[in-house]
Amino acid sequence: MKRDQLVITAPGPARIDPDALTREQLLGWRCALCGTLLTGDRPLGTVTVSQGPTLTTYPLWACDPNCATENAWRAAIGHAAGCEACRTGECATGQRLLDAYTAAFRQEHEGGAG
């Protein structure tokens, strides 16, 4: 699909700009919220698009576990894997990333993330 041929005819779920979705997000290969390649997913709802006379409804998917938690975990682990200071527990950046993951995890499990 060419973006100039794509017309959104129904709004997407909350916080999603349907016009900004990529082909991979519409096809369910990438998270509709953050664009990460999906390994685990959860349904978000649907968007309907028009291409000429054809209307197509696409189910949208998001990261599961939630994007904030998943991305915070990846950032913390990615940093720690190459950081000598993290191995000794003396890295401020590593601690900040771990704290961000912990906060996202708590928010998700308290039902505050979506």
Side-chain angles (χ1 to χ4, degrees):
M1 283 184 271
K2 293 182 182 175
R3 293 304 298 175
D4 59 348
Q5 295 175 331
L6 194 63
V7 177
I8 305 301
T9 59
R15 301 184 327 215
I16 295 178
D17 176 9
D19 196 37
L21 295 172
T22 66
R23 179 177 182 268
E24 290 81 11
Q25 288 170 312
L26 287 172
L27 294 176
W29 302 338
R30 293 190 175 273
C31 176
L33 298 173
C34 72
T36 301
L37 189 62
L38 290 172
T39 54
D41 53 38
R42 59 189 164 96
L44 288 179
T46 61
V47 292
T48 301
V49 297
S50 171
Q51 185 176 16
T54 305
L55 292 176
T56 305
T57 299
Y58 294 94
L60 297 180
W61 300 90
C63 296
D64 188 23
N66 131 345
C67 299
T69 306
E70 183 70 15
N71 292 335
W73 178 248
R74 287 180 187 187
I77 292 300
H79 171 80
C83 178
E84 279 296 320
C86 280
R87 291 186 180 107
T88 63
E90 300 173 4
C91 178
T93 300
Q95 188 60 53
R96 181 182 51 77
L97 291 169
L98 187 57
D99 291 345
Y101 164 71
T102 302
F105 182 86
R106 283 186 183 143
Q107 183 180 9
E108 177 181 352
H109 291 281
E110 291 170 358

